[in-house]
Amino acid sequence: GENVEQHPSTLSVQEGDSAVIKCTYSDSASNYFPWYKQELGKGPQLIIDIRSNVGEKKDQRIAVTLNKTAKHFSLHITETQPEDSAVYFCAATSRNYQLIWGAGTKLIIKP
Amino acid sequence: GAVVSQHPSRVICKSGTSVKIECRSLDFQATTMFWYRQFPKKSLMLMATSNEGSKATYEQGVEKDKFLINHASLTLSTLTVTSAHPEDSSFYICSAEAGEGGSTDTQYFGPGTRLTVL
């Protein structure tokens, strides 16, 4: 079936360094790839998304890259700050337009 | 913009009672709303998809008589957990999607409801 794999499950980086989270998807028909940030006890918050007609998108310190041929997409956070600590989820569309979710990455920013 | 609210944020109930959770899109009309369940340190598990004015579509393994969903307007969907049992204790999150269907639009999530069944 359709699935999304996300790595790593936990990522610890020094404050100010960059963090990269990678996802691969199985359905070649997927055309929408959002990234969500979830803080403890809260709902997921959309931080950036990308559609299949674009290879890269950037919003200040956050960027997403998409390689449709390889079926993978990545989240890049530069100049990390303590408030970036959270769990990050990637997702990709399924054939019935629902989202297939990655397992999540716990990002820890060390001061 | 794109704010989704959920109420209550936290509820504790006795086994056998029913609990209703409301999900509202505050500044946009949501043609489609989704209900998710999330276990500790796990990803989101889609329970059902609801479109305004029609019956919800439940995912495999989700009992529709147990988790009643009503999407009566373009800004409100409710999830009722009927005859709740301790195994129903979880974090329930709704999301709302604008757009006209037929493609994937951005899902905006509510803050979640923590249900504890004693």
Side-chain angles (χ1 to χ4, degrees), chain A residues 4-8 19-25 33-35 47-50 54-58 61-68 70-77 88-91 105:
Chain A
V4 173
E5 293 189 1
Q6 183 172 346
H7 298 282
V20 180
I21 302 170
K22 298 181 179 181
C23 288
T24 59
Y25 59 98
F33 309 90
W35 285 91
I47 56 172
I48 197 166
D49 57 10
I50 193 168
V54 177
E56 183 174 357
K57 185 177 178 181
K58 191 174 181 181
R61 297 188 296 109
I62 295 173
V64 55
T65 58
L66 171 64
N67 183 328
K68 284 217 74 180
K71 290 191 281 188
H72 66 70
F73 56 112
S74 301
L75 177 71
H76 304 252
I77 305 174
Y88 291 80
F89 291 98
C90 65
T105 296

Side-chain angles (χ1 to χ4, degrees), chain A residues 5-14 18-23 35 84-89 102-110, chain B residues 41-42:
Chain A
E5 293 189 1
Q6 183 172 346
H7 298 282
S9 56
T10 304
L11 177 61
S12 184
V13 302
Q14 205 70 39
S18 295
V20 180
I21 302 170
K22 298 181 179 181
C23 288
W35 285 91
D84 294 330
S85 294
V87 178
Y88 291 80
F89 291 98
T105 296
K106 182 176 182 180
L107 177 62
I108 301 167
I109 307 300
K110 296 181 290 185
Chain B
K41 299 184 180 180
K42 296 293 184 183

Side-chain angles (χ1 to χ4, degrees), chain B residues 37-54:
Chain B
R37 185 172 179 176
Q38 188 176 34
F39 293 100
K41 299 184 180 180
K42 296 293 184 183
S43 189
L44 287 79
M45 182 184 77
L46 180 65
M47 298 175 66
T49 303
S50 76
N51 291 293
E52 183 263 340
S54 61

Side-chain angles (χ1 to χ4, degrees), chain A residues 31-32 36 38 41-46 49 51 89 93-94 96-99 101-104 106, chain B residues 34 36 38 42-44 46 49 59 91 93 97 102-112 114:
Chain A
N31 59 7
Y32 175 64
Y36 287 87
Q38 187 177 28
K42 298 184 179 179
Q45 177 188 8
L46 179 73
D49 57 10
R51 295 190 185 267
F89 291 98
T93 49
S94 66
N96 62 356
Y97 308 117
Q98 292 174 350
L99 292 176
W101 293 83
K106 182 176 182 180
Chain B
F34 302 86
Y36 292 86
Q38 188 176 34
K42 296 293 184 183
S43 189
L44 287 79
L46 180 65
T49 303
E59 294 301 300
F91 193 52
I93 317 173
E97 185 182 272
S103 64
T104 303
D105 294 290
T106 302
Q107 288 187 33
Y108 298 97
F109 283 81
R114 171 74 58 193

